């Protein structure tokens, strides 16, 4: 007992350490084994299979309320107790001892708050009946005293529990707190246990009935040995009675055994019959399955044979070549009447070739010999037809163009300009448009030679038409030739030359573009459609230049590769191929346009301005929907015109530079007024976008003119300023009206005005200093000394005394009216342009007064006691002259 008590105390301490909560008080702790509804007949084996656990009862007080817990603790791998589960006793609803357990140590606790009521409550197996009774009594007492309710008790012998409680009264303990807070055990009186247990297990009525029943028997249970002997005698008597009963029933047992033997024989016979029937049925089942398998195979084979026959019929239908199509493909005519049959044959051949190619043909058929032979036959038909059709179309295109070239009525003749008309040509070609589409679907490579043949033939026709039209256009245009040098000679001769009207030249050039640019765009569009180029299509805003007999709109603009955002690489490749073909189609025709430009330049170089504007207008109009080559042609024409006009400008400038040494430095140069006349004429020719061209020429002309003017002026520096101011003034006077409307000329006008003012200032200053040199040199010496000498000390400097001042004034101002008159005569002497004299004399007087006023201020500051003529007197004197 001492060892057991020590183990209990050690177990209590381990439980308290595992919980580690000082607010919870331990009541009892017992080692148990846990299993879920599993036990064996052998209690020893059952304990070995169960899991070792420890059950401990705890209470926890919070204010006036007390909570009771049933804790389950398990052993860790290191043999240390640790909490596993926690049950609240307020939810305990049932205590049941397992009746099937012979040891009586297994019981279950049922709680009403389990998450799944379908799960069996855990089963606990005690080491002994005493441990079970101790735990159950503690649980029942706590439920009654602390929680105020009792759970349902099932499977416990009331008498046995009462006797055990009486005999084991000292071992039952209840909790009591000591000073250190730990739980201890103390004895409970027997009467209290008895009363408590009876109150918990039975009611008062049941207790009275039990006492009355026990009192009706004299069992002598007071003497245990006598009672034991009595029970043994009664047991022996019962066993003897059982043996006697068995012996009396022996005949009946024999009959039963005989019946069992006969039944066994019948059962064995039936088993043999059933085995025989089972074998037969198994064989029959196997035969039936075999028959069904063969039947299913036959049915499947029949279905497959039917499908194979249908597929072969379809394949044969694909592989069959109709005789009428074969005749058209191999030897039929390509006349217009037979084109419908040829197109139908092409459509059949295309569909037949697609039908024997993947994915239209099952891959299983691809390697069949018949399919391979038929594919080879169709390929042969295709190559034969493509070769025959290509050869026919090449000859047909050549014959059409040769017929038109041989007929002179198609071209311009002497005295008659003929607009090219390709309506008949397009109508005849359109007959074979569908044939070309089928040729492309059959063999894309076949279109390359056909496109080259068409371009080669039509190029001859277009160049012949352009050449004849350009020749007749130049021959029928009447215009006098203007001089090619505009900035030479006298002004009068230039004005007479400019009176010649050369507008017919630019009109002829415009007519050339009006006739042929739409024609070339239409031809490019028709070619792209007719030759099956897969490019974006746009209808030109101007419509079709010539008639369309079939009412078929074949005009579509072909956008340039660089300006069109292609959706795929295929479109870009098609555009590149189209532009290459258009180069072959239209190449060489630009020479006739160049010839017209050169002819117009020879008649009147200034007409390049109007031709440039006309070309720019066509170029901007065709940018969105013209063929690439047409835009290239217009761009080259624009460049050609710009080059010719630049040539005219360069030649004029070269003449100025070459003749600068031969021009006499006197008066206004001849090219100053002639440039104004030239600029006026150029402004009349400007149209459209040619402003930039003219502005560039203005810049070149004026730059060379001003440079040449400065060079000529430097040949005689004495009269350079007079020469410059006259010519700059003439430049301003001649370009005054144009400068108000032309920005670039306004810029040069202001530049000439600045140069004129500078030349005037230098020339006037020179004349003033020439007449009043001593006066203003004296003033300049004073100004120079004022930087280093105080003003009051200047009169004491050498040459600047008051006496020196009086001498200088006497010599300079004694005959001032005569000096001013001489200054006027000197200003008038070398001036060619008399109209400039009043303005120059006004500038001269103003400049002299400003200089004299500065001199007077210096004298008043340095020589305050000296008297000199006032500025007002000088102003009156100048006004009187």
């Amino acid at each position: 007992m001492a060892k057991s008590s020590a183990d209990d105390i050690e177990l209590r301490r381990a439980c308290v350490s595992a919980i580690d909560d000082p607010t919870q008080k331990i009541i009892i702790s017992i080692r148990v084994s846990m299993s879920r509804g599993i036990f064996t007949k052998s209690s020893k084996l059952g304990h070995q299979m169960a899991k070792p656990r420890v059950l401990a009862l705890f209470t926890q007080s919070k204010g006036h309320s007390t909570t009771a817990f049933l804790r389950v603790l398990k052993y860790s791998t290191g043999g240390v107790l640790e909490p596993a589960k926690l049950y609240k006793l307020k939810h305990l609803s049932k205590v049941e001892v397992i009746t099937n357990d012979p040891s009586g140590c297994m019981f279950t606790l049922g709680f009403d708050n389990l998450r799944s009521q379908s799960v069996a409550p855990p089963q606990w197996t005690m080491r002994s009946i005493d441990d079970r009774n101790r735990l159950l009594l503690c649980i029942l007492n706590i439920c009654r005293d602390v929680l105020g309710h009792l759970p349902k008790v099932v499977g416990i012998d009331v008498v046995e529990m009462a006797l055990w409680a009486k005999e084991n009264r000292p071992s039952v303990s209840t909790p009591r707190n000591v000073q250190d807070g730990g739980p201890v055990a103390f004895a409970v009186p027997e009467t209290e246990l008895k009363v408590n247990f009876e109150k918990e297990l039975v009611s008062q009525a049941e207790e009275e009935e039990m006492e009355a029943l026990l009192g009706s028997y004299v069992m002598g249970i007071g003497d245990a040995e006598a009672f034991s002997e009595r029970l043994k005698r009664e047991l022996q008597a019962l066993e003897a009675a059982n043996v006697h009963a068995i012996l009396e029933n022996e005949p009946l047992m024999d009959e039963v055994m005989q019946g069992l033997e006969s039944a066994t024989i019948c059962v064995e016979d039936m088993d043999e019959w059933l085995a025989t029937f089972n074998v037969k049925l198994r064989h029959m089942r196997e035969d039936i399955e075999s028959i069904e398998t063969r039947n299913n195979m036959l049915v499947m084979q029949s279905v497959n044979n039917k499908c194979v026959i249908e597929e072969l019929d379809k394949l044969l239908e694909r592989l069959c070549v109709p005789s009428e199509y074969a005749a058209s493909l191999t030897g039929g005519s390509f006349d217009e009447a037979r084109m419908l049959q040829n197109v139908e044959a092409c459509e059949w051949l295309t569909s037949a070739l697609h039908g024997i190619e993947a994915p239209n043909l099952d891959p299983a058929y691809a390697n069949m010999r018949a399919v391979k032979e038929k594919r080879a036959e169709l390929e042969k038909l295709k190559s034969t037809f493509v070769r025959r059709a290509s050869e026919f179309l090449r000859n047909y295109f050549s014959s059409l163009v040769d017929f038109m070239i041989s007929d002179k009525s198609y071209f311009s003749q002497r005295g008659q300009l003929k607009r090219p008309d390709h309506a008949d040509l397009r109508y005849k070609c359109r007959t074979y448009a569908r044939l070309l589409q089928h040729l492309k679907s059959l063999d894309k490579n076949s279109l390359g030679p056909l496109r080259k043949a068409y371009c080669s033939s039509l190029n001859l026709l277009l160049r012949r038409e352009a050449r004849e039209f350009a020749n007749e256009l130049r021959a029928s245009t009447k215009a006098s030739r203007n001089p090619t040098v505009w900035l030479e000679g006298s002004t009068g001769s230039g004005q007479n030359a400019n009176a010649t009207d050369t507008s017919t030249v630019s009109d002829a050039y415009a007519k050339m573009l009006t006739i042929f640019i739409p024609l070339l765009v239409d031809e490019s569009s028709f070619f792209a459609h007719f030759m099956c180029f897969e490019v974006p299509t746009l209808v030109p805003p101007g419509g079709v230049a010539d008639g369309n007999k079939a009412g078929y709109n074949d005009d579509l603009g072909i956008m340039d590769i660089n300006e069109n955002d292609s959706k795929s690489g295929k479109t870009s490749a098609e555009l590149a191929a189209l532009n290459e073909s258009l180069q072959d189609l239209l190449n060489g025709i630009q020479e006739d346009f160049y010839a017209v430009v050169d002819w117009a330049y020879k008649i009147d170089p200034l007409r390049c301005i109007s031709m440039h504007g006309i070309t720019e207008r066509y170029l901007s109009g065709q940018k969105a929907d013209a063929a690439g080559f047409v835009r290239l042609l217009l761009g080259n024409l624009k460049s050609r015109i710009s080059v010719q006009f630049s040539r005219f400008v360069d030649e004029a400038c070269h003449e100025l530079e070459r003749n600068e040494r031969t021009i006499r430095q006197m008066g206004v140069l001849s090219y100053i007024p002639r440039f104004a006349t030239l600029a006026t004429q150029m402004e009349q020719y400007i149209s459209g976008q040619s402003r930039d061209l003219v502005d560039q020429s203005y810049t070149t002309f004026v730059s060379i003119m001003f440079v040449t003017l400065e060079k000529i002026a430097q040949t005689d520096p004495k009269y350079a300023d007079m020469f410059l101011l006259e010519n700059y003034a003439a430049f301003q006077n001649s370009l005054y009206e144009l400068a108000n409307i032309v920005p670039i000329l306004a810029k040069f006008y202001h530049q000439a005005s600045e140069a004129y003012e500078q030349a005037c200032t230098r020339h006037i200053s020179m004349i003033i200093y020439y007449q009043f040199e001593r006066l203003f040199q004296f003033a300049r010496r004073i100004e120079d000394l004022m930087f280093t000498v105080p003003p009051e000390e200047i009169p004491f400097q050498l040459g600047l005394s008051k006496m020196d001042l009086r001498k200088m004034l006497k010599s300079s101002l004694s005959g001032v009216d005569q000096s001013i008159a001489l200054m006027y005569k000197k200003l008038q002497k070398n001036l060619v342009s008399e109209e400039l004299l009043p303005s120059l004399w006004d500038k001269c007087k103003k400049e002299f007064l400003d200089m004299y006023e500065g001199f007077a201020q210096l004298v008043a500051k340095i020589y305050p006691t000296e008297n000199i003529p006032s500025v007002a007197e000088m102003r009156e004197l100048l006004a009187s002259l």
Side-chain angles (χ1 to χ4, degrees):
M1 290 296 293
K3 182 178 181 180
S4 177
S5 298
D7 292 341
D8 291 342
I9 293 172
E10 187 66 26
L11 183 61
R12 282 170 176 263
R13 292 177 178 173
C15 293
V16 172
S17 299
I19 299 304
D20 194 18
D21 188 356
T23 62
Q24 297 185 14
K25 313 302 180 183
I26 187 168
I27 306 300
I28 187 173
S29 59
I30 300 177
R31 288 186 175 87
V32 298
S33 297
M34 184 193 77
S35 61
R36 286 196 174 273
I38 301 175
F39 65 91
T40 61
K41 293 182 180 180
S42 173
S43 60
K44 183 177 180 181
L45 182 58
H47 291 316
Q48 290 176 353
M49 294 179 62
K51 300 177 181 179
R53 296 288 189 273
V54 173
L55 291 180
L57 285 174
F58 287 86
T59 60
Q60 185 178 15
S61 298
K62 293 183 180 179
H64 299 288
S65 62
T66 303
T67 307
F69 304 97
L70 176 63
R71 287 190 176 273
V72 181
L73 296 96
K74 64 179 182 179
Y75 288 96
S76 63
T77 56
V80 180
L81 282 176
E82 59 183 17
K85 289 187 177 181
L86 175 67
Y87 300 96
K88 292 184 178 181
L89 291 184
K90 68 178 182 179
H91 296 294
L92 182 63
S93 61
K94 181 180 179 182
V95 179
E96 180 181 1
V97 176
I98 304 302
T99 57
N100 295 334
D101 183 16
S103 65
C105 296
M106 185 177 294
F107 66 94
T108 61
L109 299 177
F111 294 88
D112 57 7
N113 65 337
L114 291 179
R115 293 183 180 178
S116 177
Q117 296 298 332
S118 61
V119 178
Q123 297 178 359
W124 308 100
T125 304
M126 295 296 187
R127 293 179 298 179
S128 62
I129 295 295
D130 292 339
D131 289 347
R132 183 200 72 180
N133 292 339
R134 287 171 57 202
L135 179 62
L136 294 182
L137 282 175
C138 286
I139 291 174
L140 293 175
N141 285 331
I142 291 175
C143 289
R144 181 198 64 187
D145 298 336
V146 177
L147 303 178
H149 77 281
L150 287 173
K152 183 179 179 181
V153 181
V154 181
I156 300 178
D157 190 349
V158 177
V159 177
E160 181 183 354
M161 287 294 292
L163 293 174
W164 185 90
K166 181 178 180 181
E167 293 175 359
N168 295 276
R169 179 178 58 82
S171 64
V172 180
S173 62
T174 58
R176 181 166 61 95
N177 292 337
V178 295
Q179 294 181 356
D180 60 356
V184 297
F186 65 93
V188 180
E190 179 184 357
T191 58
E192 184 180 352
L193 285 173
K194 180 178 180 182
V195 173
N196 290 344
F197 182 75
E198 289 175 353
K199 287 182 179 179
E200 293 174 9
L201 299 180
V202 297
S203 64
Q204 184 67 28
E206 291 174 344
E207 181 181 355
E208 291 176 356
E209 291 177 0
M210 188 180 298
E211 289 179 355
L213 179 62
L214 291 175
S216 64
Y217 292 94
V218 180
M219 295 185 295
I221 61 176
D223 188 358
E225 293 181 359
F227 182 68
S228 177
E229 289 296 332
R230 179 182 173 183
L231 289 178
K232 288 180 180 180
R233 288 195 300 271
E234 289 180 359
L235 179 59
Q236 290 176 358
L238 289 174
E239 289 179 352
N242 288 336
V243 172
H244 182 69
I246 290 172
L247 292 176
E248 286 181 351
N249 293 329
E250 183 178 0
L252 296 176
M253 292 297 296
D254 293 339
E255 293 179 1
V256 171
M257 293 300 294
Q258 291 178 1
L260 289 174
E261 289 179 0
S262 62
T264 302
I265 293 171
C266 291
V267 168
E268 291 176 354
D269 294 340
M270 290 180 66
D271 184 54
E272 291 179 359
W273 293 342
L274 290 174
T276 302
F277 290 151
N278 189 24
V279 171
K280 291 183 178 181
L281 288 175
R282 186 172 66 252
H283 290 308
M284 290 177 65
R285 190 181 300 109
E286 292 175 355
D287 294 340
I288 291 172
E289 290 177 355
S290 176
I291 293 171
E292 289 180 352
T293 301
R294 289 197 298 272
N295 187 31
N296 292 336
M297 293 177 63
L298 290 175
V299 171
M300 185 181 296
Q301 184 176 3
S302 176
V303 173
N304 290 338
N305 289 337
K306 184 178 179 181
C307 294
V308 168
I309 291 174
E310 293 177 356
E311 289 294 327
L312 290 176
D313 290 339
K314 293 179 182 178
L315 183 61
L316 289 175
E317 184 178 355
R318 291 184 183 180
L319 300 181
C320 180
V321 180
S323 58
E324 62 274 15
Y325 293 156
S328 298
L329 293 172
T330 55
S333 172
F334 289 100
D335 295 338
E336 185 175 355
R338 291 279 303 171
M339 281 311 301
L340 181 60
Q341 291 84 347
N342 290 329
V343 169
E344 291 178 353
C346 287
E347 292 176 350
W348 175 87
L349 180 59
T350 302
S351 61
L353 287 171
H354 290 169
I356 61 174
E357 298 292 340
N360 299 318
L361 183 65
D362 194 309
Y365 299 153
N367 295 325
M368 293 178 62
R369 187 176 67 179
V371 174
K372 292 181 179 179
E373 292 177 354
K374 187 56 63 176
R375 185 183 293 111
E377 182 180 354
L378 293 178
E379 290 291 339
K380 185 177 180 181
L381 284 176
K382 181 186 76 172
S383 61
T384 301
F385 179 77
V386 169
R387 176 180 53 78
R388 292 178 57 251
S390 300
E391 183 178 357
F392 168 78
L393 289 175
R394 285 196 299 269
N395 296 332
Y396 183 74
F397 296 150
S398 178
S399 63
L400 281 179
V401 173
D402 290 343
F403 173 77
M404 295 182 68
I405 290 177
S406 62
D407 189 355
K408 295 184 178 180
S409 62
Y410 282 101
F411 308 104
S412 299
Q413 300 178 14
R414 183 177 298 276
Q416 180 184 5
L417 284 175
K418 179 72 173 180
R419 179 191 295 269
D421 186 3
H422 294 177
D424 292 336
L425 174 65
R426 295 183 189 177
Y427 178 78
K428 293 178 181 179
C429 290
R430 207 174 289 119
T431 304
Y432 300 95
R434 292 186 63 189
L435 179 61
L436 284 172
Q437 294 176 359
H438 287 292
L439 286 177
K440 181 179 180 180
S441 63
L442 290 174
D443 186 5
K444 291 184 178 181
N445 296 328
S446 64
L447 288 184
L450 286 177
R451 291 169 178 171
K452 287 186 177 297
Y454 180 86
C455 292
S456 176
S457 299
L458 195 63
N459 179 261
L460 295 176
L461 178 63
L462 291 173
R463 292 180 63 181
R464 172 74 180 276
E465 290 172 340
R467 184 171 63 256
E468 297 294 342
F469 189 89
N471 292 337
E472 180 58 28
L473 184 66
R474 286 178 290 178
S476 61
T477 301
K478 304 300 181 181
S480 300
R481 179 172 297 184
N482 268 347
T484 57
V485 180
W486 284 79
L487 300 180
E488 292 183 9
S490 64
T491 303
S493 63
Q495 292 175 350
N496 293 333
N498 290 340
T500 304
D501 183 15
T502 58
S503 60
T504 55
V505 174
S506 56
D507 293 342
Y509 176 77
K511 190 172 185 179
M512 182 78 176
L513 295 185
T514 303
I515 296 298
F516 277 91
I517 293 302
L519 174 66
L520 298 181
V521 172
D522 293 341
E523 285 299 332
S524 301
S525 303
F526 176 78
F527 174 75
H529 180 83
F530 181 59
M531 285 299 172
C532 306
F533 284 96
E534 297 177 3
V535 291
T537 60
L538 290 173
V539 178
V544 185
D546 51 7
N548 195 339
K549 292 186 179 181
Y552 177 76
N553 188 5
D554 56 20
D555 297 287
L556 53 107
I558 309 303
M559 293 178 289
D560 190 63
I561 297 175
N562 296 330
E563 298 179 5
N564 177 35
D565 295 331
S566 302
K567 295 182 179 179
S568 63
K570 181 179 179 181
T571 304
S572 299
E574 284 289 305
L575 283 172
L578 173 60
N579 283 319
E580 183 179 355
S581 297
L582 291 178
Q583 182 75 20
D584 297 336
L585 178 67
L586 305 177
N587 189 29
I589 197 173
Q590 66 271 15
E591 299 299 331
D592 297 299
F593 288 88
Y594 295 161
V596 174
V597 171
D598 297 341
W599 164 75
Y601 170 77
K602 291 178 181 178
I603 293 178
D604 187 0
L606 294 183
R607 284 297 166 182
C608 291
I609 300 174
S610 57
M611 290 191 297
H612 186 276
I614 295 170
T615 308
E616 184 65 32
R617 184 171 65 251
Y618 271 92
L619 187 60
S620 61
Q622 300 294 335
K623 183 171 292 186
D625 56 341
F629 183 82
V630 176
R631 291 202 308 278
L632 182 63
L633 171 62
L634 291 172
N636 292 337
L637 282 174
K638 179 181 175 183
S639 300
R640 182 82 171 214
I641 293 170
S642 300
V643 169
Q644 292 286 28
F645 188 71
S646 299
R647 174 186 169 190
F648 160 72
V649 173
D650 293 341
E651 289 178 354
C653 294
H654 180 66
E655 290 296 328
L656 288 178
E657 295 174 348
R658 186 180 61 183
N659 296 330
E660 65 183 45
R661 298 176 183 176
T662 62
I663 297 178
R664 187 172 64 87
Q665 181 186 350
M666 184 62 66
V668 178
L669 297 178
S670 61
Y671 63 72
I672 296 296
R674 286 187 59 78
F675 173 74
T677 305
L678 176 63
T680 303
Q681 190 74 15
M682 291 170 66
E683 290 296 323
Q684 295 176 359
Y685 291 163
I686 291 178
S687 63
Q689 303 295 327
S690 56
R691 166 55 63 188
D692 294 339
L693 181 68
V694 175
D695 287 348
Q696 291 176 5
S697 66
Y698 285 159
T699 302
T700 304
F701 276 136
V702 175
S703 299
I704 296 298
M705 287 166 57
F706 285 176
V707 171
T708 303
L709 186 62
E710 294 289 340
K711 289 182 178 179
I712 295 175
Q714 296 302 322
T715 58
D716 190 357
K718 181 178 180 181
Y719 301 102
D721 293 331
M722 179 65 71
F723 178 74
L724 289 176
L725 68 88
E726 284 186 321
N727 281 275
Y728 282 128
F731 183 85
Q732 295 179 74
N733 294 332
S734 62
L735 290 179
Y736 177 76
E737 295 181 358
L738 287 178
N740 290 326
I741 58 176
V742 181
I744 189 68
L745 292 180
K747 171 186 173 183
F748 295 128
Y749 182 89
H750 292 301
Q751 183 177 346
S753 178
E754 293 176 0
Y756 170 78
E757 293 294 335
Q758 294 174 2
C760 285
T761 302
R762 291 194 302 269
H763 185 62
I764 291 172
S765 298
M766 184 268 296
I767 292 176
I768 293 174
Y769 271 102
Y770 181 78
Q771 294 297 330
F772 299 94
E773 181 177 2
R774 293 188 61 189
L775 177 69
F776 294 112
Q777 281 184 354
F778 192 87
R780 184 175 296 176
R781 290 179 60 191
I782 294 175
E783 290 176 349
D784 294 339
L785 284 175
M786 287 180 68
F787 290 105
T788 57
V789 178
E792 60 274 10
E793 295 182 4
I794 291 179
F796 302 101
Q797 300 296 323
L798 182 63
L800 296 177
S801 64
K802 293 180 180 181
M803 185 62 66
D804 295 331
L805 174 66
R806 295 189 191 104
K807 291 180 180 180
M808 184 272 299
L809 291 175
K810 183 178 180 180
S811 62
S812 298
L813 299 180
S814 59
V816 65
D817 51 348
Q818 296 178 2
S819 298
I820 293 175
L822 291 175
M823 187 169 60
Y824 177 79
K825 290 180 179 180
K826 188 171 182 62
L827 183 65
Q828 184 183 17
K829 179 180 180 181
N830 297 317
L831 186 64
V832 178
S833 302
E834 295 293 336
E835 66 273 8
L836 298 178
L837 182 60
S839 62
L840 287 175
W841 178 238
D842 291 338
K843 289 179 180 293
C844 185
K845 291 188 293 184
K846 183 179 181 302
E847 182 69 19
F848 176 76
L849 286 175
D850 292 340
M851 296 173 66
Y852 186 77
E853 182 178 3
F855 171 75
Q857 291 176 357
L858 287 175
V859 171
K861 184 177 181 181
I862 304 301
Y863 309 98
T865 58
E866 296 295 324
N867 293 322
I868 63 172
S870 65
V871 177
E873 293 175 356
M874 285 294 180
R875 185 177 291 108
E876 291 177 359
L877 179 61
L878 289 173
S880 63
L881 294 177

